[in-house]
Amino acid sequence: MGWDWILKYANPTHFMRLAARLVPWFWGLGAAFVALGLWLGLVASPADYQQGETVRIMYVHVPAAWLAMFCYIVMTSAALGTLVWRHPLADAAQKAAAPLGAVFSFVCLVTGSIWGRPTWGTWWEWDARLTSMLVLLLIYLGLVALWRTIEDPNKAARAAAILTLVGVVNIPIIKFSVDWWNTLHQPASVFRMGGPTIDSSMLWPLFAMAIGFNLIFMALHFMGIRNEILGRRIRRLSMEAAAGGERAAPAASTGALA
Amino acid sequence: MIETSHWPLILAAYALTFGAIGVVALSVWLTGRRRAAELARLEAAAPRERARAERT
């Protein structure tokens, strides 16, 4: 009984209806939170006593980093759905998440680099946090390439699911790299034992932007899943049309001969 | 000491972030529109396809 609603929305047709209802809300709320985050981050919050104004880059860099990792967790759950239940919606969720994760990883790396130049004096440093984040971007790009290389969507989903499950080992490495190794990147200052070390005047813009980014990600992910379901329907109808044409062609030629 | 303004870097970071999100959103939306149109075309053609197959 408790799982009935999940089974209902795991049906692609029901999911399409649910997505059509939810996506405008995700966009609207996401835009409102991002607007609030922009005002708090660029206008209302103070400059940092050490970093100066560059601290404002953190309000887009950190949510992008969180989202890049969250997206991988979503993809890992979908990969389990593909391998254990062989559910087509799980395949679509995996495929739709990979390019989004790649974009947020890229944004995280580039904004971090822009912040690093005035703060650390360098655009790039091969330290554990930066390198493991680059590895995450490369895994996302590898997954996007894998989906494009294998033509059969079921085979592509299984191959991508296995690669996703192998790559999930990188997520704890990213999270704990600043504790395990001596890195230039600062240690965790928000999600840590003992609570955040950031002042609330900087924590609120960060949370507003993070909520906004998450809602936008959910809107894009739902739209991407919808696109994959449409793509599968197009593929099935095209194959049916081709099979119908093949059946019709010999029948027509037989008729002409008779 | 010359005080350097970091606002160009800050604005570049924000422009890149929202530019990248905007490009992805546009790409996903256009893909959806194209696929919905393609599916509607195939669904409209499917009954004709079946009728042609039945005639021959």
Side-chain angles (χ1 to χ4, degrees), chain A residues 27 34 38 42 53-54 56 59-60 100 103 107 110-111 114 118 213 220 223 227-228 230 233-234 237-238 241 248, chain B residues 6-7 9-10 12-14 16-18 20-21 24-25 28-29 31-32 35-36 38-39 42-43 46 49 53 56:
Chain A
W27 274 120
V34 165
L38 280 173
L42 291 175
E53 301 288 354
T54 52
R56 299 182 199 284
Y59 305 131
V60 285
L100 301 178
V103 166
V107 166
V110 178
T111 53
I114 293 173
F213 273 34
L220 289 172
M223 287 165 74
N227 288 353
E228 290 311 317
L230 289 175
R233 287 183 179 171
I234 289 169
L237 274 178
S238 303
Chain B
H6 292 128
W7 276 100
L9 286 178
I10 296 165
Y14 276 73
L16 181 122
T17 302
F18 291 105
I21 293 172
V24 174
V28 172
W29 180 66
T31 305
R35 288 193 182 167
E38 171 78 3
L39 185 65
L42 281 168
E43 279 174 346
E49 195 74 42
T56 47

Side-chain angles (χ1 to χ4, degrees), chain A residues 183-205:
Chain A
T183 60
L184 190 57
H185 197 284
Q186 61 271 40
S189 47
V190 180
F191 296 115
R192 59 184 284 282
M193 301 286 279
T197 54
I198 299 179
D199 187 75
S200 62
S201 61
M202 293 174 180
L203 211 51
W204 286 117

Side-chain angles (χ1 to χ4, degrees), chain A residues 120 122 124-132 134-135 138 182-184:
Chain A
W120 293 342
T122 179
W124 181 261
E125 184 66 36
W126 289 101
D127 93 340
R129 172 58 70 85
L130 276 69
T131 308
S132 52
L134 179 65
V135 169
L138 294 177
N182 187 19
T183 60
L184 190 57

